[in-house]
Coordinates of all heavy atoms in Angstrom, one line a residue:
S1 N 8.1 1.1 5.8 CA 7.7 0.1 6.8 C 7.2 0.9 8.0 O 7.4 2.1 8.1 CB 8.8 -0.8 7.1 OG 9.9 -0.1 7.6
R2 N 6.6 0.1 8.9 CA 6.2 0.7 10.2 C 6.3 -0.3 11.3 O 6.2 -1.5 11.1 CB 4.7 1.2 10.1 CG 3.7 0.1 9.8 CD 2.3 0.7 9.5 NE 1.8 1.5 10.7 CZ 0.9 2.4 10.5 NH1 0.4 2.7 9.4 NH2 0.5 3.1 11.6
D3 N 6.6 0.3 12.5 CA 6.7 -0.5 13.7 C 5.7 0.1 14.7 O 6.0 1.1 15.3 CB 8.1 -0.5 14.2 CG 8.3 -1.4 15.4 OD1 7.3 -1.7 16.1 OD2 9.5 -1.8 15.7
N4 N 4.5 -0.6 14.8 CA 3.5 0.0 15.6 C 3.9 0.0 17.1 O 3.4 0.8 17.9 CB 2.2 -0.7 15.4 CG 1.6 -0.5 14.0 OD1 1.9 0.5 13.4 ND2 0.9 -1.5 13.5
A5 N 4.7 -1.0 17.5 CA 5.1 -1.0 18.9 C 6.0 0.2 19.3 O 6.0 0.6 20.4 CB 5.9 -2.3 19.2
K6 N 6.6 0.7 18.3 CA 7.5 1.9 18.5 C 6.9 3.2 18.0 O 7.5 4.3 18.0 CB 8.9 1.7 17.8 CG 9.7 0.5 18.4 CD 11.0 0.4 17.7 CE 11.8 -0.7 18.3 NZ 13.2 -0.8 17.7
N7 N 5.6 3.1 17.5 CA 5.0 4.3 16.9 C 5.8 5.0 15.9 O 5.9 6.2 15.9 CB 4.6 5.3 18.0 CG 3.5 4.7 18.9 OD1 2.8 3.8 18.6 ND2 3.4 5.3 20.1
T8 N 6.5 4.2 15.0 CA 7.4 4.8 14.1 C 7.3 4.2 12.7 O 7.0 3.0 12.5 CB 8.9 4.5 14.6 OG1 9.0 5.1 15.9 CG2 9.9 5.1 13.7
M9 N 7.4 5.1 11.8 CA 7.4 4.7 10.3 C 8.8 5.0 9.8 O 9.5 5.9 10.3 CB 6.4 5.6 9.6 CG 6.5 5.4 8.1 SD 5.3 6.4 7.1 CE 5.9 8.0 7.5
Y10 N 9.2 4.2 8.8 CA 10.5 4.3 8.2 C 10.5 4.4 6.7 O 9.5 4.0 6.1 CB 11.4 3.0 8.6 CG 11.5 2.8 10.0 CD1 10.6 1.8 10.7 CD2 12.4 3.4 10.8 CE1 10.7 1.6 12.0 CE2 12.5 3.1 12.2 CZ 11.7 2.2 12.8 OH 11.8 2.0 14.1
L11 N 11.5 5.1 6.2 CA 11.7 5.1 4.8 C 13.1 4.7 4.5 O 14.0 5.5 4.7 CB 11.4 6.5 4.2 CG 11.6 6.7 2.7 CD1 10.5 5.9 1.9 CD2 11.5 8.2 2.3
Q12 N 13.3 3.5 4.0 CA 14.6 3.0 3.6 C 14.8 3.4 2.1 O 14.1 3.0 1.3 CB 14.7 1.5 3.7 CG 16.0 0.9 3.3 CD 17.2 1.3 4.2 OE1 17.1 1.3 5.4 NE2 18.3 1.8 3.6
M13 N 15.9 4.2 1.9 CA 16.2 4.7 0.6 C 17.5 4.1 0.1 O 18.5 4.3 0.8 CB 16.3 6.2 0.6 CG 15.0 6.9 1.2 SD 15.1 8.7 1.1 CE 16.3 9.0 2.4
N14 N 17.5 3.4 -0.9 CA 18.7 2.8 -1.5 C 18.9 3.4 -2.9 O 18.0 3.9 -3.5 CB 18.5 1.3 -1.6 CG 18.4 0.6 -0.2 OD1 19.0 1.1 0.8 ND2 17.6 -0.4 -0.1
G15 N 20.1 3.3 -3.4 CA 20.4 3.7 -4.7 C 20.1 5.2 -4.9 O 19.5 5.6 -6.0
L16 N 20.4 6.0 -4.0 CA 20.0 7.4 -4.0 C 20.7 8.1 -5.2 O 21.8 7.8 -5.6 CB 20.4 8.1 -2.7 CG 19.4 7.8 -1.6 CD1 20.0 8.2 -0.2 CD2 18.1 8.6 -1.8
K17 N 19.9 9.1 -5.7 CA 20.3 9.9 -6.9 C 20.3 11.3 -6.5 O 19.6 11.7 -5.6 CB 19.3 9.6 -8.0 CG 19.2 8.2 -8.5 CD 18.1 8.0 -9.5 CE 17.9 6.6 -9.9 NZ 16.9 6.5 -11.0
P18 N 21.1 12.2 -7.2 CA 21.1 13.6 -6.9 C 19.7 14.2 -7.0 O 19.3 15.1 -6.2 CB 22.0 14.2 -8.0 CG 23.0 13.1 -8.2 CD 22.1 11.8 -8.2
E19 N 18.8 13.7 -7.8 CA 17.5 14.2 -8.0 C 16.6 13.8 -6.8 O 15.4 14.3 -6.7 CB 16.8 13.7 -9.3 CG 16.9 12.2 -9.5 CD 18.0 11.9 -10.4 OE1 19.2 12.4 -10.2 OE2 17.8 11.0 -11.3
D20 N 17.1 13.0 -5.9 CA 16.3 12.7 -4.6 C 16.6 13.8 -3.6 O 15.9 13.7 -2.5 CB 16.7 11.3 -4.1 CG 16.4 10.2 -5.0 OD1 15.2 10.2 -5.5 OD2 17.2 9.2 -5.1
T21 N 17.4 14.7 -3.8 CA 17.7 15.8 -2.9 C 16.5 16.6 -2.6 O 15.8 17.1 -3.6 CB 18.8 16.7 -3.4 OG1 20.1 15.9 -3.5 CG2 19.0 17.9 -2.5
A22 N 16.1 16.7 -1.4 CA 14.8 17.4 -1.0 C 14.7 17.3 0.5 O 15.4 16.6 1.2 CB 13.6 16.7 -1.7
A23 N 13.7 18.1 1.0 CA 13.3 18.0 2.3 C 12.2 16.9 2.3 O 11.3 17.0 1.5 CB 12.8 19.3 2.9
Y24 N 12.3 16.0 3.2 CA 11.4 14.9 3.3 C 10.4 15.1 4.5 O 10.9 15.3 5.6 CB 12.1 13.5 3.4 CG 12.7 13.1 2.1 CD1 13.8 13.7 1.5 CD2 12.1 12.0 1.4 CE1 14.3 13.4 0.3 CE2 12.6 11.6 0.1 CZ 13.7 12.3 -0.4 OH 14.2 11.9 -1.6
Y25 N 9.1 14.9 4.2 CA 8.1 15.1 5.3 C 7.3 13.8 5.5 O 6.9 13.2 4.5 CB 7.2 16.2 4.8 CG 7.8 17.6 4.7 CD1 8.4 17.9 3.4 CD2 7.9 18.5 5.7 CE1 9.0 19.2 3.3 CE2 8.5 19.7 5.6 CZ 9.0 20.0 4.3 OH 9.6 21.3 4.2
C26 N 7.1 13.5 6.7 CA 6.2 12.4 7.0 C 4.8 13.0 7.4 O 4.7 14.2 7.8 CB 6.7 11.5 8.1 SG 6.9 12.3 9.7
A27 N 3.8 12.2 7.2 CA 2.4 12.7 7.4 C 1.5 11.6 7.8 O 1.8 10.4 7.4 CB 1.9 13.4 6.2
S28 N 0.5 11.9 8.6 CA -0.4 10.9 9.1 C -1.8 11.2 8.4 O -2.3 12.3 8.3 CB -0.6 11.1 10.6 OG -1.5 10.1 11.1

């Protein structure tokens, strides 16, 4: 999701699994 008023993007992660382990990068 994104909130343009706050200039911020979000990534809500549910049901996390061990295979989700990583460095997460945002990009424009």
